[in-house]
Amino acid sequence: MIDLLQSLKLIPIVSLDEPDDAEPLVDALCAGGLPVAEITLRTDRAMDVIRRLHHRDEFLLGAGTVHSAEQAQEAVEAGAHFIVTPGFNPRTVVWCLENDVPIFPGVATPTDLEMALEHNIEVVKFFPAETLGGVNALKAFSGPYHNIRFIPTGGINASNLSYYLALSNVFACGGSWMVEVDNWDQTALLTAQAVELINDLT
Ligand code: 3PG
């Protein structure tokens, strides 16, 4: 799973409140060439959205904005393959590690990165990336934290994606710009354009 995620290089981040939108979303992302999404738990029915996608074996399904071990467990039971958290919550991290669930905890500072090292976490989310210094901050982290790879998220779009992916300590990027809920043709188009950008880099 980790290898697939790394090869895709981009994780669409999506908030959906309507479970009926789940399948059209996945169809659009797959049509654009990105069979992966982080479904954020920011809406009342986000867990139902994840549940709807349980059977889509070809799709890498993540749950994001997870704030507790209990939410992580519920998301995994609903069908999530991996967990993403906006900040570093040791209890959530430990639950995922003990249950062999891939987790990408959020970090913003060197102190957070020390916590990641303490828990043997090698891939973290860097959030909110652009606000926290973006590419320059990641370059600065690459010295003292050379074993850690990042998923920068927050403020990333088609115009700055390539600067992030050019960094050797960037595992993948996260972003919401390619998803336009209720305009699935446009979502497929923006996704395909993002995939083209990524392919041009390699
Ligand atoms: C996140 O959930 O990680 C961010 O809100 C996504 O940021 P973006 O909307 O700027 O891509």
Side-chain angles (χ1 to χ4, degrees), residues 13 38 40 42 65 125 127 153-156 174-177:
I13 297 176
E38 173 191 327
T40 69
R42 293 183 205 171
T65 321
K125 170 172 174 162
F127 175 77
T153 304
I156 297 179
S176 64
W177 83 89

Side-chain angles (χ1 to χ4, degrees), residues 9-79:
K9 291 189 165 57
L10 179 59
I11 305 172
I13 297 176
V14 193
S15 293
L16 285 184
D17 197 28
E18 175 47 70
D20 286 346
D21 286 337
E23 298 268 7
L25 165 78
V26 165
D27 291 340
L29 293 175
C30 289
L34 265 184
V36 57
E38 173 191 327
I39 305 292
T40 69
L41 303 187
R42 293 183 205 171
T43 65
D44 290 345
R45 299 167 79 194
M47 285 293 183
D48 290 331
V49 171
I50 293 173
R51 234 166 255 125
R52 284 282 182 101
L53 297 174
H54 201 1
H55 69 289
R56 299 290 296 254
D57 293 332
E58 81 284 19
F59 195 79
L60 207 44
L61 185 57
T65 321
V66 173
H67 292 304
S68 68
E70 289 74 18
Q71 270 190 325
Q73 180 170 5
E74 195 184 345
V76 168
E77 284 168 4

Side-chain angles (χ1 to χ4, degrees), residues 132-151:
L132 294 174
V135 164
N136 286 335
L138 289 168
K139 281 184 184 163
F141 287 150
S142 70
Y145 300 104
H146 56 94
N147 287 332
I148 293 195
R149 286 176 300 158
F150 295 84
I151 304 175

